[in-house]
Amino acid sequence: MNWQLFGESFVTLFVIMDPLGTVPIFLGLTASFSTAERSRAARQAVLVAFGVIVAFAVFGQRILDYLHISLPALQAAGGLLLLLIALELLTGKGDEPTSTVGVNVAMVPLGTPLLAGPGAIVATMVFVQQAQGWGDRAAIALGVVAVHVTLWLAMRFAGIVHRVLGDSGVLLVTRVAGLLLSAIAVQLVADAVRTFVVGGA
């Protein structure tokens, strides 16, 4: 088991999927729900997000091969995409999804694109592309599972988390997450450029 890779995958996905930052949005979308309905929505949202992430982790390579996209190109695109998400977290200009009549909010917009959005999908695919051997794959899988467990706990106990941190606490966590994500994004782009230069692409 590559514990360093586990830590990297967990921290990266944690920052992107932002469990604590999801709390106020989750509370807003489920404001009219009972306690049981809110618990069910949290479970469904996490399962949907997990399914989407796993699907891209397993079949992402085939998609890349079909489209003739290289790993450095994916890294560069993913880094730029993550940088945009980081800027939204830092500036607070991200558009919060709203509930839609007749739509299960646990699937859309909670499960995707709020949790399993483009940033999380690209980051997972990059980790899988870089994996060498079953130890690395197991570390990534464990990191993905751990993040989704954290997401479920954050939404399951969203009311308590929000009361403990308060609006200011949630905002602070979101800003710190944006700063960390911006650093991760720049590193992805830098690694991609280095690979292009060394490979002569």
Side-chain angles (χ1 to χ4, degrees):
M1 175 71 73
N2 187 337
W3 292 106
Q4 180 179 352
L5 183 57
F6 163 75
E8 291 176 357
S9 60
F10 175 80
V11 170
T12 300
L13 290 176
F14 184 91
V15 170
I16 296 172
M17 302 178 88
D18 193 14
L20 293 178
T22 302
V23 168
I25 300 175
F26 176 74
L27 290 174
L29 290 173
T30 60
S32 61
F33 287 17
S34 64
T35 302
E37 289 174 334
R38 183 172 289 170
S39 298
R40 184 167 61 252
R43 183 173 63 255
Q44 290 177 342
V46 169
L47 289 175
V48 169
F50 183 75
V52 171
I53 293 295
V54 169
F56 275 93
V58 174
F59 300 108
Q61 180 59 53
R62 296 180 183 178
I63 296 174
L64 292 182
D65 291 342
Y66 179 77
L67 297 176
H68 305 290
I69 299 174
S70 66
L71 176 60
L74 177 65
Q75 284 181 299
L80 294 175
L81 180 60
L82 295 184
L83 186 58
L84 291 177
I85 297 174
L87 292 176
E88 289 183 353
L89 291 175
L90 286 169
T91 60
K93 293 181 179 179
D95 294 327
E96 295 187 359
T98 56
S99 178
T100 305
V101 178
V103 175
N104 184 353
V105 296
M107 296 184 178
V108 180
L110 278 175
T112 183
L114 180 60
L115 299 182
I121 291 171
V122 169
T124 303
M125 290 178 63
V126 169
F127 277 120
V128 171
Q129 291 296 312
Q130 294 175 333
Q132 298 178 354
W134 288 105
D136 287 358
R137 294 187 180 92
I140 296 170
L142 187 59
V144 170
V145 171
V147 169
H148 282 81
V149 169
T150 306
L151 284 167
W152 177 78
L153 290 173
M155 289 189 291
R156 175 65 178 80
F157 303 102
I160 298 175
V161 172
H162 195 257
R163 283 197 298 270
V164 171
L165 293 180
D167 292 335
S168 299
V170 172
L171 181 61
L172 175 62
V173 170
T174 301
R175 295 296 185 267
V176 172
L179 179 61
L180 293 174
L181 184 57
S182 63
I184 293 171
V186 171
Q187 187 63 56
L188 277 175
V189 174
D191 290 343
V193 172
R194 187 183 302 112
T195 303
F196 273 124
V197 172
V198 173

